[in-house]
Amino acid sequence: MQSGVNFRSLCEHCNSSLLGATYDRALIEFSNSVARLLKSAITVPEVTAVTITPGLVARSVLGHLFALGIERRERDPLLTEAAYFFGDISRPLPDGIDIYYWVYPYRRQVAIRDGALLTDFFKSPPIQFWCLKYFPLGFMITWGNKHPDRVHLPRLIDFMLNAGIHPADVRLHLRSFPYSTWPEAPGETGAVLYGDASFAAISPRS
């Protein structure tokens, strides 16, 4: 179409007033802080802390992944609760949703919806996840995972009080993080299953 590709995604209010004008500022600030650390000429420590607004970062990540898709109509109750969380800045993160984060010092950009990660070939239930990765951060959202310790990464919820719209110093591992293609390519002992509504975007520069 002359006006570009058109499909139903986020409404104008959610995309502009919430995601663009409010939530993305917190995510950009987080990203810039981490990028400065990685590009510093000074030797970086193994673990450091960065001040962020965790509830706004969580909403920004959710919003960008909610925007993936064509004519989406969410049916799962947990996804509905996540949409309410995104749209209402006073709500706490719903139970059953975890948002993990890590340093991602790579050029390749990845955005995934509707994946199921098998870490040990059917010996444990699959982990349903979404994923957003770009330099310098990676995020993994899990849905209904009753064993969050299966993902060995810090979670935003651990730094959130109520709605999480407060400053917090989050822990950041600068020299210990997953390899570049995790979780979309989990290695020899795992696999990822994607539904027919999965979407991924990978930049041509890698």
Side-chain angles (χ1 to χ4, degrees):
M1 302 179 67
Q2 290 184 356
S3 59
V5 178
N6 288 264
F7 58 85
R8 185 182 300 277
S9 182
L10 297 182
C11 69
E12 182 178 359
H13 170 71
C14 289
N15 187 60
S16 299
S17 300
L18 293 180
L19 185 59
T22 304
Y23 304 155
D24 273 355
R25 293 183 180 181
L27 182 60
I28 291 169
E29 184 178 354
F30 187 17
S31 301
N32 288 343
S33 296
V34 177
R36 284 193 293 269
L37 287 170
L38 294 179
K39 293 177 180 179
S40 172
I42 302 173
T43 302
V44 297
E46 173 66 30
V47 181
T48 189
V50 175
T51 302
I52 68 170
T53 309
L56 300 186
V57 170
R59 288 171 171 85
S60 179
V61 173
L62 272 169
H64 283 287
L65 291 172
F66 266 126
L68 286 176
I70 301 174
E71 301 290 342
R72 298 292 299 234
R73 295 290 192 278
E74 308 305 346
R75 296 290 189 270
D76 186 89
L78 205 53
L79 286 177
T80 300
E81 288 297 317
Y84 289 149
F85 169 76
F86 173 84
D88 185 349
I89 201 170
S90 67
R91 283 178 175 261
L93 185 68
D95 292 339
I97 301 174
D98 282 309
I99 303 177
Y100 300 87
Y101 66 93
W102 65 96
V103 169
Y104 180 75
Y106 308 105
R107 290 183 179 272
R108 193 171 77 153
Q109 301 172 28
V110 179
I112 298 171
R113 282 189 64 155
D114 305 337
L117 174 63
L118 300 167
T119 56
D120 49 14
F121 285 127
F122 300 100
K123 293 180 181 179
S124 302
I127 299 173
Q128 298 181 39
F129 76 94
W130 294 4
C131 182
L132 178 66
K133 301 192 302 184
Y134 61 90
F135 179 85
L137 288 166
F139 297 92
M140 180 183 188
I141 304 173
T142 61
W143 306 90
N145 179 22
K146 296 181 179 179
H147 303 282
D149 57 327
R150 291 174 60 194
V151 182
H152 304 292
L153 293 167
R155 305 179 300 171
L156 289 178
I157 189 63
D158 293 332
F159 305 95
M160 292 171 61
L161 297 174
N162 298 318
I165 53 174
H166 54 81
D169 292 334
V170 301
R171 184 176 69 256
L172 202 66
H173 294 265
L174 295 177
R175 288 185 283 171
S176 176
F177 40 80
Y179 53 87
S180 63
T181 56
W182 187 90
E184 67 271 19
E188 296 181 355
T189 60
V192 175
L193 306 178
Y194 297 104
D196 58 4
S198 298
F199 292 85
I202 301 175
S203 70
R205 297 180 62 188
S206 59

